[in-house]
Amino acid sequence: MNLDVLTQRSGEWLRGTGPEADIVISSRIRLARNLAEFPFVNRASDTVRAQIEDFLRERIEKLQGRRPLTYLRTSDLEPLDRQFLVERQLISREHAEDHGQCGVGVSSEENVSLMVNEEDHLRMQVLRSGMDLDAAWAEINEIDDLMEQEVAYAFDSQFGYLTACPTNVGTGIRVSVMLHLPALVATKEIQKVFQALQKIGLAVRGLYGEGSQAMGDFYQISNQVTLGKSEIDIMKSIKDVVAQILGYERRVRTALVKENRQALHDQVSRAFGILQNAQTISSEETMHLLSSVRMGVNLGLIDDVEIPTVNELFIQTQPAHLQKLRHQKLESAERNIARAAYIRQRLAENNPHTSA
Amino acid sequence: MKKCEHCSKPAVLHITELQDGSVEAHHLCESCAKEYLTQNSEPESVEVESSLSIDESDDSETSEAAPQEQPPCPNCGITFKEFRSLGRLGCAHDYSHFREELTRLIENIHSEVQHVGKVPKRQPDASRQQFDLIRLKLQLKEAIDEENYEKAAGLRDQIRQVELELRSSSPAT
């Protein structure tokens, strides 16, 4: 796979369709698995890591799943290319920083990725646009079954699937739903949501997972408990909670429109105006303004841009994407100029009115 | 939801302390947690003092060996202490080797100690051999490092033998 090809398009999960897509960006399920006959990755020497990578790569390349997978040996890639894959959510930050031989198998639609030699030997994830956990589970479960025919997983009848860190042991599952919650953030109601989630043992993270900031009003909600509950029950607890948060966000949005439509309309239009015209813009400001625009489109206050374009811009204005696009290394100030130019261009070509 | 153990505010931080093989869970609100964490990170000298005082009364030669400490995992060589400082286990066998300590820790993390949910269709009855492989490969590396090639050759034959047994017992491929 040529990574430059990827800069021209975006993952299927960003297309902005699927149930509840006005608020739910994506649904993701990942499974952590280890091979019984090798030590865990952190305890493996470079030679053993290479053996694990060879062993799994061979099996991933042969995998007869629904989608053909392309395998990339990420440890052979430049840091910029690895960062690029992180921004696209195909590999984790930990995987990108890993030393030693590692790789990832990805589907061309970018909704399946099988990471080799992350914290665990195998971390498999499926991403779907919108609220679609059942479909994500069906697919990852199938991939897991197919892999299991080829390898012997480390499993224990008491502790379930064995993982390098006991926080993932049992099902090895992490169910995450990415939500766009601008109204709850604007009214500071989001704090109540956090408290409620902590009560029931769910984690809240930013756009890029653990330790990342909640940029652009994106929040990833996921389970923390992985043992003692079935995969289906874990998914159900996430679904129930997400349904409540969706209702909450929608009520607050409606109230905002009702109470002060003009001010809200002004705010989202100004955000759009800045993005259309700025000559230099930071990543942080971009995320903030795109978030306003996204809400404005979903509330029918602006119709000069479509949701998939906005979704893509969140990803494509990240540092590694801009540098891949320009085919050169850019310092922060240069990136801000490149970012502004890219946004202007995308918003001009995607304007339904001018292109009509 | 649990209340903070120091005041009546809701507990938002759940801290699991691992110290000398014992596991302690703390449930704290944000302000008490801050206090707790700074308390626990700062006075390292206190800890050193108390451990020194124990050493004095004890025979320092034998206390080095830490009698109640579990021996390291025979397969990957990790000790429970190393795991505690790293936060990552060394191999799948650790879950059997440190089962007692890990059960306590896992109960603290997940509130449960028994897996429910998906089970591999192919039950891993070959796991003993797989653990043997981890151990043998480790020994092989050591033998090579020590330039003990005679031993290494023997180990390599053993590894081949176990791998052969594994392949013939696995239904797939």
Side-chain angles (χ1 to χ4, degrees):
Chain A
M1 184 186 284
N2 181 352
L3 289 186
D4 290 332
V5 175
L6 290 183
T7 58
Q8 305 303 320
R9 41 175 213 194
S10 63
E12 194 188 32
W13 59 275
L14 278 171
R15 68 185 194 272
T17 58
E20 326 286 3
D22 56 331
I23 295 172
V24 182
I25 305 285
S26 62
S27 306
R28 170 162 63 158
I29 300 187
R30 79 109 167 95
L31 297 177
R33 299 286 186 255
N34 286 282
L35 305 174
E37 63 194 89
F38 292 101
F40 292 145
V41 178
N42 63 294
R43 197 80 182 165
S45 64
D46 287 349
T47 325
V48 175
R49 278 189 199 206
Q51 283 171 7
I52 298 167
E53 202 263 349
D54 287 338
F55 182 90
L56 283 173
R57 184 191 62 229
E58 199 184 303
R59 278 146 187 88
I60 287 171
E61 282 175 340
K62 279 196 312 196
L63 206 66
Q64 299 290 320
R66 293 183 209 184
R67 307 167 208 273
L69 300 177
T70 306
Y71 192 89
L72 294 165
R73 183 175 281 163
T74 38
S75 45
D76 291 349
L77 297 176
E78 297 289 321
L80 180 64
D81 286 340
R82 291 203 295 267
Q83 183 56 34
F84 176 75
L85 294 174
V86 173
E87 288 175 3
R88 292 182 91 82
Q89 316 242 339
L90 291 172
I91 63 173
S92 63
R93 287 189 302 181
E94 177 161 344
H95 185 87
E97 288 157 13
D98 244 358
H99 305 287
Q101 205 165 307
C102 59
V104 64
V106 293
S107 67
S108 59
E109 304 92 341
E110 296 180 49
N111 39 20
V112 176
S113 92
L114 311 186
M115 268 183 280
V116 175
N117 279 352
E118 206 240 25
E119 184 181 302
D120 296 297
H121 295 150
L122 191 57
R123 287 252 175 134
M124 307 181 280
Q125 74 161 21
V126 168
L127 268 162
R128 309 282 294 204
S129 179
M131 188 64 197
D132 208 1
L133 286 175
D134 291 329
W137 168 246
E139 186 159 8
I140 196 74
N141 192 27
E142 189 182 301
I143 293 170
D144 186 43
D145 286 344
L146 287 169
M147 279 306 292
E148 198 211 307
Q149 289 172 20
E150 304 293 326
V151 304
Y153 284 147
F155 183 85
D156 177 272
S157 52
Q158 183 192 349
F159 292 138
Y161 292 94
L162 304 178
T163 51
C165 183
T167 52
N168 298 312
V169 80
T171 53
I173 201 171
R174 184 82 71 229
V175 178
S176 325
V177 176
M178 179 98 70
L179 302 173
H180 183 228
L181 303 172
L184 290 177
V185 175
T187 55
K188 303 204 164 56
E189 296 288 304
I190 195 81
Q191 290 306 327
K192 291 183 195 162
V193 175
F194 288 170
Q195 282 163 12
L197 289 172
Q198 271 156 355
K199 253 185 234 178
I200 52 172
L202 298 180
V204 188
R205 300 192 170 105
L207 183 57
Y208 287 101
E210 221 162 323
S212 69
Q213 291 210 332
M215 292 187 296
D217 307 324
F218 288 115
Y219 292 92
Q220 227 183 125
I221 293 170
S222 54
N223 65 302
Q224 277 180 307
V225 166
T226 54
L227 181 126
K229 285 169 89 180
S230 71
E231 292 84 352
I232 303 298
D233 284 346
I234 290 170
M235 277 195 289
K236 187 171 181 303
S237 63
I238 297 276
K239 282 187 212 168
D240 290 350
V241 159
V242 167
Q244 287 181 31
I245 299 175
L246 293 183
Y248 199 1
E249 168 73 18
R250 291 210 177 96
R251 281 198 303 279
V252 176
R253 284 188 188 187
T254 312
L256 283 177
V257 174
K258 212 169 145 189
E259 280 160 24
N260 214 340
R261 185 187 172 93
Q262 205 170 28
L264 193 66
H265 195 176
D266 181 63
Q267 181 215 320
V268 300
S269 303
R270 279 168 184 272
F272 191 59
I274 293 172
L275 290 171
Q276 273 181 310
N277 294 289
Q279 299 297 309
T280 170
I281 190 164
S282 70
S283 178
E284 199 186 337
E285 188 181 3
T286 303
M287 299 293 267
H288 179 67
L289 297 175
L290 281 172
S291 175
S292 270
V293 169
R294 195 176 188 280
M295 177 168 70
V297 175
N298 280 324
L299 288 175
L301 295 170
I302 37 178
D303 58 357
D304 307 287
V305 62
E306 285 163 2
I307 288 294
T309 306
V310 181
N311 285 355
E312 284 169 23
L313 281 174
F314 278 109
I315 303 297
Q316 291 165 343
T317 56
Q318 304 275 333
H321 270 77
L322 293 171
Q323 295 175 74
K324 290 288 287 177
L325 217 60
R326 289 291 172 98
H327 301 286
Q328 61 183 22
K329 242 183 126 58
L330 299 172
E331 296 306 320
S332 176
E334 298 169 318
R335 287 204 299 271
N336 291 348
I337 294 168
R339 182 178 295 115
Y342 182 69
I343 296 169
R344 287 199 310 273
Q345 177 211 325
R346 286 295 305 273
L347 292 180
E349 73 193 28
N350 278 283
N351 187 331
H353 298 306
T354 53
S355 62
Chain B
M1 168 157 182
K2 284 202 168 85
K3 282 208 169 132
C4 173
E5 60 193 28
H6 292 325
C7 64
S8 57
K9 278 187 257 174
V12 295
L13 262 108
H14 307 279
I15 297 167
T16 306
E17 281 274 42
L18 291 164
Q19 221 150 34
D20 301 324
S22 73
V23 180
E24 253 183 68
H26 296 286
H27 305 280
L28 302 160
C29 74
E30 208 169 334
S31 49
C32 292
K34 250 182 218 153
E35 209 180 298
Y36 176 83
L37 290 172
T38 46
Q39 242 176 37
N40 272 270
S41 63
E42 265 178 283
E44 221 162 271
S45 53
V46 176
E47 242 173 87
V48 174
E49 265 173 48
S50 63
S51 64
L52 274 178
S53 62
I54 293 167
D55 274 5
E56 273 167 39
S57 60
D58 225 353
D59 185 351
S60 57
E61 296 271 305
T62 54
S63 75
E64 193 108 311
Q68 71 274 54
E69 180 91 357
Q70 274 276 339
C73 168
N75 293 315
C76 70
I78 202 170
T79 62
F80 200 68
K81 208 172 167 186
E82 273 178 277
F83 155 64
R84 288 188 329 231
S85 69
L86 290 169
R88 305 280 184 276
L89 291 158
C91 75
H93 183 65
D94 296 347
Y95 281 96
S96 309
H97 186 72
F98 302 118
R99 188 172 297 270
E100 209 178 300
E101 293 92 331
L102 283 174
T103 303
R104 267 179 289 169
L105 176 66
I106 284 169
E107 187 170 13
N108 260 303
I109 301 170
H110 300 286
S111 309
E112 300 281 344
V113 291
Q114 177 58 54
H115 169 62
V116 282
K118 189 171 180 177
V119 166
K121 286 194 185 70
R122 181 151 63 108
Q123 277 296 331
D125 47 3
S127 61
R128 188 193 54 77
Q129 285 158 310
Q130 275 140 358
F131 293 146
D132 282 348
L133 270 185
I134 298 174
R135 178 174 48 79
L136 288 169
K137 284 175 181 170
L138 186 79
Q139 287 173 349
L140 175 65
K141 191 187 170 289
E142 282 168 2
I144 292 170
D145 288 347
E146 290 162 12
E147 300 185 7
N148 187 344
Y149 297 114
E150 201 176 329
K151 191 177 166 196
L155 284 164
R156 203 189 44 211
D157 291 344
Q158 275 189 59
I159 289 171
R160 280 196 190 141
Q161 181 61 33
V162 177
E163 277 178 339
L164 215 76
E165 284 168 25
L166 271 175
R167 298 283 175 267
S168 59
S169 69
S170 66
T173 59

